[in-house]
Amino acid sequence: MKPTILVCCASSIATSTVIAVKVREIMEDRGFDVTVAQSSFAEMSSKVEMVHPCLIMVTGAVTAPVGIPLLVATPFLTGIGKDKVIEQMCEIVQSALSGG
């Protein structure tokens, strides 16, 4: 089963859609085959139970379920710190693919 990245924002409409598209493109460009799912903050816990993500990317202050890495995704909107987040994202996905 391929790894899933869950992208969460307040409403799961605009911001998470923009970020999800960018995450898909970046992962594809780097040769990773992942599923990218979206959720609102309010639905995050139930979505985690459904999709079992290896990574949660958020646009605001929320607490991730224990054991799941969480990255702030706003650099995909601002460009500031984007390279570092991409590096961390790739490391987490690679670890998931390696069974880590």
Side-chain angles (χ1 to χ4, degrees):
M1 194 161 110
K2 59 185 171 179
T4 298
I5 298 172
L6 180 60
V7 180
C8 301
C9 73
S11 66
S12 186
I13 298 173
T15 308
S16 63
T17 300
V18 170
I19 293 171
V21 167
K22 291 180 181 185
V23 167
R24 277 187 200 97
E25 290 172 353
I26 291 164
M27 292 284 93
E28 186 177 294
D29 288 348
R30 286 165 174 69
F32 290 107
D33 185 18
V34 301
T35 298
V36 180
Q38 293 173 238
S39 172
S40 67
F41 294 147
E43 298 171 336
M44 186 173 77
S45 293
S46 60
K47 193 73 167 192
V48 164
E49 290 179 23
M50 289 173 38
V51 302
H52 306 285
C54 68
L55 170 63
I56 299 172
M57 302 190 73
V58 299
T59 61
V62 295
T63 304
V66 175
I68 302 175
L70 182 136
L71 293 175
V72 176
T74 50
F76 288 103
L77 302 172
T78 66
I80 300 168
K82 182 178 171 184
D83 290 340
K84 183 177 180 182
V85 173
I86 291 171
E87 182 181 318
Q88 292 171 321
M89 183 173 63
C90 290
E91 287 172 5
I92 292 166
V93 171
Q94 184 60 54
S95 177
L97 289 168
S98 302

